[in-house]
Amino acid sequence: MWDFIWNDFLVTGEPIIYGAMASIVLATVGIVFVLTYFKLWKWLWDEYLTTVDHKKIGIMYIIAALAMLFRGGVDALMMRTQLALPNMNFLNSVHYNEIFTTHGTVMILFMAMPFIIGLMNVAVPLQIGARDVAFPFLNAFSFWTFFFGAMLFNISFVIGGSPSAGWTSYVPMAGPELSPEINQNYYLLALQLSGIGTLATGINFLVTILRMRAPGMTLMKMPIFTWSALITSIIIIFAFPILTIALALMTLDRIFGTHFFTLAGEGMPMMWANLFWLWGHPEVYIVILPAFGVFSEVISTFARKQLFGYKAMVYAMCVIAGLSFVVWVHHFFTMGAGAGVNSLFSITTMLIAVPTGIKIFNWLGTMYKGRIRFNVPMLWALAFIPNFTIGGVTGVMLGMASADYQYHNTYFLIAHFHYVLIAGTLFGMFAGLTYWYPKMFGHKMNEKIGKISFWFTVIGFNITFLPQFFLGLMGMPRRTYTIEPEWMPLNLLSTAGAFILATGFVIFTFNIYYSARYEPREKTGDAWDGRSLEWATTTPVPHYNFATIPYVNSHEAYWDMKETGATTYDESKLEPIHMPSYKGLPIIMSAIMFMASFGLVWHWFWLAIPGLLGVIICMVIRSFDFDEGYHVPIDEIKRTEEQARGRKE
Amino acid sequence: MKNLVSWFKRLFMVPGLFALLLVASGCSGITVLDPKGPVARTQQELIIFSITLMSVIVIVVFVLFFYMIIRFRERPNWTDKDYDPHQHGNTTLEIIWTVIPFIIVAALSVPTVTSLYALESPPEETNDQEPLVIHADTSNWKWYFSYPEQDIETVNYLHIPENRPIEFKLASADSMTALWIPALGGQKYNMAGMQNTLYLQADEEGEFAGRNANYNGSGFAEHTFTVTSESEEEFNQWVSDVQNNAPEMTKDRFDQYLEPGLAQEAEYSSTHLEYVDFGMNSGRSYITDLYGGNLGEQLHLEGGEGGPWEEE
Ligand code: HEM
Ligand SMILES: [Cu+2]
Ligand SMILES: [Cu+2]
């Protein structure tokens, strides 16, 4: 028993691991202590753990995403340290491999995804004048499955060993024959668990956006961020089932001995690559389109102009979404599919540059004849344009299959996708967070600290990733844990850049703490002179969002309201508002799923089977739950609104 | 705001200077842009062409970008002389910036497609010669190069004659890998149970670095080989040396090689193709039959100092 725990269950023998264990234990003890000491358990349970309020769920998503940004960021710094000089002994090969695998997976699935879903939760219902999402219970459930999926993935580091086959987890290497350890199971089950939540979110937002818009808001009068959320939801609904199935098949291979992707027994290893990227490429657009939505909102707000070419922006996003499903082969041009197939996929890939170009020029057009303010959200949006352009043109270069034979799996690729993911997704999320921050927390983030963090990040980012284009052309492959002497100077530069970049992130997070303490409270609700409906609510936003829902005439509903002096509070039209009740079931059910998945990882059917039964029991309980929620009485609405609007204390 | 604008300028000088520096230092350090054979040259030309075209786009975007943020920034003496908040688009402009990218994509597609087809067969300029066939097989984390005509095999190094096309037959015994010799041309995957063909050629004598470019676990960074390109005579001399002096690649010895681990360079006077061809479906489960579930060995290599796996 002890033997098993010490030799297989816990990961031992590495100082970094002991450090991680110690810090996990310390952090847990610390959190438990603080919650107990300040008697916060009940508050936490009542206000957050059981919440079905989209605004709070959004905040929880974003907090989790920032935590994961740090997990992935520390991984990145460790990798960059190992790669700074030839013959570094900071990480050995096994360790390095685990770290780049967890870095990639955490960043894409547990940082970028929850960040965008968090912002969607915060902004979309408000933008369309809705009181919540269509399925609030499901929304809470989505969050908790993501959360427990992320936890499952993260504990692999100290319990049983991290997956090490790359975030793409290609078979045969990731299959049962070449990776017999349990670590790969963590990848499969953690992604599966959080993937369920993501699919549910996609459905939830599709229905919310299609069914719950304010009167008058036709599709072509939706704010552009909501458009991006709608298209993202549609991509999720088409793409995530592919991942679910691929993961399930590989789980069967690894845990139950089937032969879908194995080397022996007529398995088809290449089918994995196809399925993975058939989901994986659309996934890239799932994390970039909402960022495009944020940039459109931010640029038009801070240039104080309508979005240039609103319709073209919408159509461009639709075309990108469609094309995203027909380019997946560009991830393995070198698989020997032949000139015909590669030509086809080269052309579809390069075609994505057309709608993307339209968007870039429309953003520039939005600034033309504008009056640009350089607040922090706008700085992130502005930095996006030139940096993303570099990511975009190198993407076109990668799309030229015959040239890609030289770039594939090299640092050229690493540089390209970080230019897209960091300058696109991450800057977008930072822009969105600082932009909606006053709406979420009732105060802005400090501008000065925000600017410092911005410059560190943008400069550090370029110093980190620009040299990598050249490293790729010099023959440096990705996923190598040690470098050749001739690649040293540029790697050293890149590592230095990574530390500057990391400093930027730290300052960004410090700003959250600083602003919470010292920034003046925001009363008006319209912190940036905004244009769409979310700015029409008071701050803090009442839990029912809108006392009365306005009629919408254009995609800049609040701008129109400001011109006519209207508000979302019309005392004569008040009615009791129906709201859903808070529920403990989503977190409980997800926790049980976590246990079941953990059991499966270890082939412990005594845990997995009761866990699965537990999930079914939860579903049954839920289906007999006839709680219809409650109504907010008119008096209470009046009191809340008048207090918030400063008419009566 | 002045301050900000100058910050922006300074910021974007960093990449600019960088690019200049690299261009100024010539492309000699940059393997892919310094091709040593016709295949790599085709790809290099395509890369240079795309970089040129892409630079134009980058410059246009950067210029417009800086024009917008400088010209339309809010500044103390700001007047709303040319502020136009109601402008909602411009169809002509939007058509222009849809059509031009289309043209650019077309311009890039043509050479891409032609070169794709060209790379499917041996280089034009030497099509009077029969390509030299070399089977390049891998298993965790070793290269086996079999020369069927010469009936010799090398481990982790390669000799090729200059000015003659080489037809690589790629396959893998286990994980997917990729044969990549950047100086000679782009990579292609080695997979179990199927065979890929890759044509490469060296125009000059010399030593080039080759490697596996597709991650395959702990020994991946060490999964490299050297390529020696030499004159026809020297190559033939080397071949007959190996034929006469090297031991045979017996099945036992080869099975030992298949065990996960690193290996030193070696040569043999027969090839493993006699007992197994990983490029055929029949060779696909050879290694799993042999070693079953023991193929996941984790080598804790450190900083390029992996202890080479020795042959007894
Ligand atoms: C904090 C700044 C970051 C640094 C310094 C950094 C560094 C790295 C490095 C060195 C690798 C290469 C590992 C290797 O191939 O050996 C890598 C891979 C990767 N990074 Fe990052 N990264 C950063 C941020 C991000 C972000 C924000 C994302 C996504 C939103 C991301 C996604 C990925 C992915 C998907 C991989 C590929 C992993 C794989 O090959 O399996 N990174 N990163
Ligand atoms: Cu893709
Ligand atoms: Cu194949």
Side-chain angles (χ1 to χ4, degrees):
Chain A
M1 179 70 191
W2 280 111
D3 195 51
F4 168 78
I5 292 187
W6 200 245
N7 290 327
D8 298 302
F9 192 70
L10 293 177
V11 182
T12 52
E14 298 272 349
I16 297 176
I17 302 268
Y18 294 129
M21 282 180 189
S23 51
I24 290 175
V25 171
L26 281 179
T28 316
V29 170
I31 293 170
V32 171
F33 175 79
V34 168
L35 289 174
T36 314
Y37 187 82
F38 293 102
K39 300 201 174 63
L40 292 174
W41 281 108
K42 186 164 164 26
W43 166 82
L44 188 69
W45 177 263
D46 288 347
E47 294 291 319
Y48 280 91
L49 302 188
T50 57
T51 189
V52 293
D53 182 342
H54 69 95
K55 299 180 284 297
K56 287 183 181 166
I57 291 176
I59 290 172
M60 290 195 292
Y61 263 119
I62 291 170
I63 292 173
L66 285 173
M68 287 297 109
L69 177 64
F70 273 82
R71 157 80 215 260
V74 170
D75 283 349
L77 290 183
M78 292 203 285
M79 288 191 290
R80 277 306 341 157
T81 306
Q82 169 64 21
L83 296 179
L85 301 168
N87 294 318
M88 281 285 269
N89 280 332
F90 177 63
L91 301 174
N92 66 38
S93 75
V94 172
H95 214 135
Y96 185 89
N97 297 343
E98 295 182 344
I99 288 180
F100 80 70
T101 302
T102 50
H103 165 78
T105 316
V106 162
M107 283 297 196
I108 301 268
L109 286 139
F110 303 127
M111 191 286 287
M113 288 293 284
F115 218 138
I116 59 147
I117 293 177
L119 288 181
M120 274 160 62
N121 262 294
V122 166
V124 168
L126 293 173
Q127 284 201 328
I128 61 174
R131 293 203 164 113
D132 204 334
V133 293
F135 310 112
F137 179 94
L138 187 66
N139 200 20
F141 176 73
S142 299
F143 171 75
W144 289 111
T145 51
F146 143 70
F147 180 83
F148 282 108
M151 288 300 112
L152 186 66
F153 192 78
N154 275 284
I155 58 168
S156 70
F157 189 54
V158 290
I159 299 181
S162 297
S164 60
W167 88 285
T168 50
S169 206
Y170 272 13
V171 272
M173 194 188 25
E177 293 142 323
L178 297 178
S179 300
E181 308 86 355
I182 61 108
N183 55 4
Q184 217 52 43
N185 297 349
Y186 273 115
Y187 173 93
L188 296 170
L189 286 150
L191 264 61
Q192 191 68 282
L193 190 51
S194 61
I196 295 170
T198 308
L199 181 57
T201 300
I203 296 170
N204 212 339
F205 276 85
L206 179 79
V207 178
T208 305
I209 295 169
L210 291 185
R211 304 282 308 172
M212 297 177 65
R213 276 168 287 136
M217 186 184 278
T218 58
L219 284 180
M220 276 302 170
K221 286 179 187 156
M222 285 195 315
I224 197 81
F225 178 70
T226 297
W227 254 114
S228 73
L230 175 65
I231 294 172
T232 303
S233 304
I234 295 172
I235 305 182
I236 288 177
I237 290 169
F238 282 100
F240 266 75
I242 307 174
L243 176 70
T244 303
I245 299 218
L247 291 171
L249 296 182
M250 177 133 50
T251 309
L252 288 173
D253 273 6
R254 289 188 55 89
I255 298 178
F256 299 96
T258 55
H259 287 288
F260 290 105
F261 305 123
T262 53
L263 265 187
E266 301 296 309
M268 293 168 69
M270 290 168 71
M271 188 52 96
W272 170 265
N274 274 289
L275 290 175
F276 182 87
W277 286 114
L278 204 45
W279 159 78
H281 193 84
E283 166 68 15
V284 175
Y285 290 90
I286 294 172
V287 299
I288 197 70
L289 290 181
F292 285 179
V294 170
F295 294 130
S296 302
E297 299 279 350
V298 168
I299 290 175
S300 114
T301 302
F302 291 91
R304 296 186 219 191
K305 265 190 71 205
Q306 256 190 48
L307 189 63
F308 192 93
Y310 170 87
K311 282 199 174 144
M313 293 301 242
V314 170
Y315 294 138
M317 281 197 287
C318 296
V319 173
I320 292 175
L323 283 175
S324 77
F325 281 93
V326 291
V327 300
W328 79 94
V329 171
H330 66 209
H331 295 276
F332 40 87
F333 278 146
T334 53
M335 183 127 17
V341 172
N342 282 356
S343 301
L344 179 72
F345 282 92
S346 283
I347 293 169
T348 52
T349 301
M350 287 190 275
L351 277 178
I352 292 190
V354 177
T356 312
I358 294 176
K359 295 188 76 74
I360 298 265
F361 286 111
N362 276 331
W363 284 314
L364 294 172
T366 307
M367 293 192 280
Y368 178 69
K369 296 203 170 179
R371 180 180 181 180
I372 303 171
R373 286 173 294 169
F374 294 92
N375 295 86
V376 176
M378 184 61 165
L379 289 183
W380 290 112
L382 289 178
F384 153 79
I385 293 178
N387 286 306
F388 187 84
T389 305
I390 295 176
V393 296
T394 49
V396 172
M397 290 169 67
L398 283 159
M400 302 165 70
S402 39
D404 181 59
Y405 296 167
Q406 286 280 29
Y407 310 129
H408 183 59
N409 275 345
T410 69
Y411 265 75
F412 191 91
L413 171 77
I414 298 275
H416 152 73
F417 73 66
H418 282 94
Y419 263 88
V420 181
L421 282 168
I422 294 184
T425 305
L426 200 65
F427 288 7
M429 297 305 106
F430 283 0
L433 181 57
T434 40
Y435 178 62
W436 282 305
Y437 205 85
K439 193 78 322 194
M440 295 162 68
F441 297 106
H443 58 85
K444 288 186 184 169
M445 281 175 90
N446 182 282
E447 285 271 313
K448 190 152 182 211
I449 304 178
K451 282 181 187 164
I452 298 174
S453 115
F454 169 81
W455 287 112
F456 268 96
T457 308
V458 174
I459 294 172
F461 162 69
N462 277 288
I463 300 179
T464 310
F465 292 103
L466 208 70
Q468 296 184 1
F469 285 116
F470 300 99
L471 284 170
L473 296 176
M474 289 163 85
M476 179 166 163
R478 77 195 279 205
R479 298 169 167 180
T480 178
Y481 78 102
T482 184
I483 60 167
E484 305 283 334
E486 64 265 31
W487 306 328
M488 203 257 302
L490 289 177
N491 271 298
L492 200 57
L493 190 64
S494 173
T495 301
F499 280 89
I500 301 175
L501 173 56
T503 312
F505 292 169
V506 172
I507 300 173
F508 188 93
T509 319
F510 168 74
N511 199 4
I512 293 178
Y513 162 79
Y514 182 90
S515 312
R517 293 204 56 168
Y518 303 112
E519 275 301 286
R521 302 301 105 166
E522 168 69 45
K523 293 251 170 55
T524 62
D526 184 16
W528 309 110
D529 196 9
R531 313 175 78 87
S532 43
L533 270 186
E534 73 268 35
W535 305 108
T537 60
T538 55
T539 299
V541 187
H543 60 114
Y544 51 76
N545 293 356
F546 297 92
T548 49
I549 291 168
Y551 188 86
V552 174
N553 281 319
S554 76
H555 67 266
E556 303 200 305
Y558 185 47
W559 196 253
D560 300 347
M561 286 170 69
K562 282 195 271 196
E563 286 186 343
T564 59
T567 70
T568 59
Y569 178 55
D570 184 346
E571 209 178 320
S572 63
K573 284 197 193 144
L574 284 186
E575 276 171 34
I577 296 172
H578 175 255
M579 295 301 291
S581 347
Y582 281 18
K583 295 282 177 195
L585 199 57
I587 181 173
I588 294 171
M589 191 164 156
S590 309
I592 297 175
M593 289 169 96
F594 172 85
M595 294 312 293
S597 309
F598 188 72
L600 266 186
V601 167
W602 287 92
H603 303 209
W604 292 345
F605 295 106
W606 53 265
L607 184 60
I609 292 170
L612 229 58
L613 284 177
V615 172
I616 294 171
I617 292 170
C618 288
M619 289 176 170
V620 173
I621 294 177
R622 168 66 180 158
S623 61
F624 285 100
D625 178 2
F626 297 113
D627 178 1
E628 293 279 340
Y630 63 96
H631 281 86
V632 188
I634 294 184
D635 307 352
E636 191 188 322
I637 305 173
K638 265 193 191 157
R639 220 173 323 121
T640 319
E641 291 293 319
E642 282 172 5
Q643 200 171 9
R645 287 166 199 275
R647 299 207 187 133
K648 223 187 282 172
E649 274 308 289
Chain B
M1 282 307 117
K2 254 242 163 75
N3 197 1
L4 192 81
V5 173
S6 75
W7 257 107
F8 255 114
K9 279 188 196 150
R10 230 177 294 168
L11 167 67
F12 290 104
M13 270 165 64
V14 179
L17 279 180
F18 220 4
L20 263 177
L21 219 95
L22 275 147
V23 173
S25 69
C27 294
S28 54
I30 302 179
T31 323
V32 167
L33 299 184
D34 183 21
K36 304 291 186 202
V39 176
R41 196 168 317 107
T42 308
Q43 286 160 334
Q44 182 244 17
E45 280 160 9
L46 197 61
I47 292 170
I48 297 290
F49 172 65
S50 61
I51 290 180
T52 319
L53 212 56
M54 293 298 118
S55 306
V56 175
I57 297 174
V58 170
I59 290 168
V60 170
V61 172
F62 275 51
V63 166
L64 282 173
F65 174 76
F66 284 109
Y67 174 74
M68 298 302 171
I69 62 170
I70 293 168
R71 173 84 169 69
F72 298 105
R73 72 189 191 279
E74 185 176 66
R75 45 186 182 272
N77 56 349
W78 192 86
T79 57
D80 65 4
K81 169 162 65 68
D82 43 25
Y83 176 48
D84 182 6
H86 296 292
Q87 180 199 50
H88 55 75
N90 182 324
T91 315
T92 326
L93 277 177
E94 288 176 71
I95 289 175
I96 292 176
W97 61 55
T98 311
V99 172
I100 292 179
F102 258 115
I103 297 172
I104 294 176
V105 168
L108 291 171
S109 297
V110 174
T112 303
V113 173
T114 33
S115 58
L116 270 172
Y117 279 93
L119 295 180
E120 296 274 284
S121 35
E124 280 279 313
E125 55 227 71
T126 40
N127 58 7
D128 51 323
Q129 295 191 49
E130 264 305 287
L132 170 69
V133 175
I134 301 178
H135 281 252
D137 288 346
T138 65
S139 81
N140 280 349
W141 297 275
K142 294 165 290 276
W143 286 97
Y144 316 108
F145 298 108
S146 314
Y147 299 67
E149 279 166 57
Q150 289 75 12
D151 200 28
I152 58 170
E153 178 155 325
T154 58
V155 176
N156 290 346
Y157 79 94
L158 196 56
H159 274 240
I160 55 169
E162 62 173 328
N163 289 326
R164 176 170 170 196
I166 315 293
E167 181 175 329
F168 285 104
K169 297 282 185 201
L170 309 175
S172 160
D174 42 38
S175 315
M176 187 163 86
T177 53
L179 181 120
W180 188 32
I181 309 167
L184 303 187
Q187 62 196 282
K188 220 174 233 185
Y189 286 161
N190 300 54
M191 293 169 291
M194 51 186 90
Q195 196 167 65
N196 264 339
T197 305
L198 174 67
Y199 294 99
L200 293 178
Q201 180 181 319
D203 278 350
E204 48 189 273
E205 295 181 24
E207 288 228 331
F208 311 114
R211 68 179 315 120
N212 163 22
N214 192 65
Y215 174 66
N216 64 339
S218 29
F220 168 63
E222 270 79 7
H223 198 180
T224 57
F225 58 94
T226 48
V227 187
T228 307
S229 155
E230 54 201 2
S231 66
E232 191 81 42
E233 305 84 69
E234 280 172 308
F235 176 74
N236 291 334
Q237 182 59 45
W238 171 79
V239 169
S240 58
D241 265 3
V242 175
Q243 281 167 339
N244 298 328
N245 302 326
E248 288 203 3
M249 182 65 115
T250 59
K251 190 166 181 308
D252 278 351
R253 196 187 296 270
F254 187 67
D255 287 353
Q256 255 179 12
Y257 266 115
L258 289 182
E259 212 175 304
L262 305 178
Q264 285 172 337
E265 295 185 350
E267 54 281 304
Y268 296 92
S269 56
S270 68
T271 78
H272 73 267
L273 298 174
E274 287 160 31
Y275 7 96
V276 54
D277 183 350
F278 299 117
M280 313 241 293
N281 207 29
S282 55
R284 206 164 75 148
S285 57
Y286 186 83
I287 198 164
T288 46
D289 292 346
L290 197 60
Y291 290 108
N294 290 326
L295 284 164
E297 187 172 319
Q298 302 265 43
L299 285 183
H300 288 254
L301 303 171
E302 291 203 341
E305 305 281 318
W309 176 78
E310 299 286 342
E311 227 189 301
E312 283 99 293

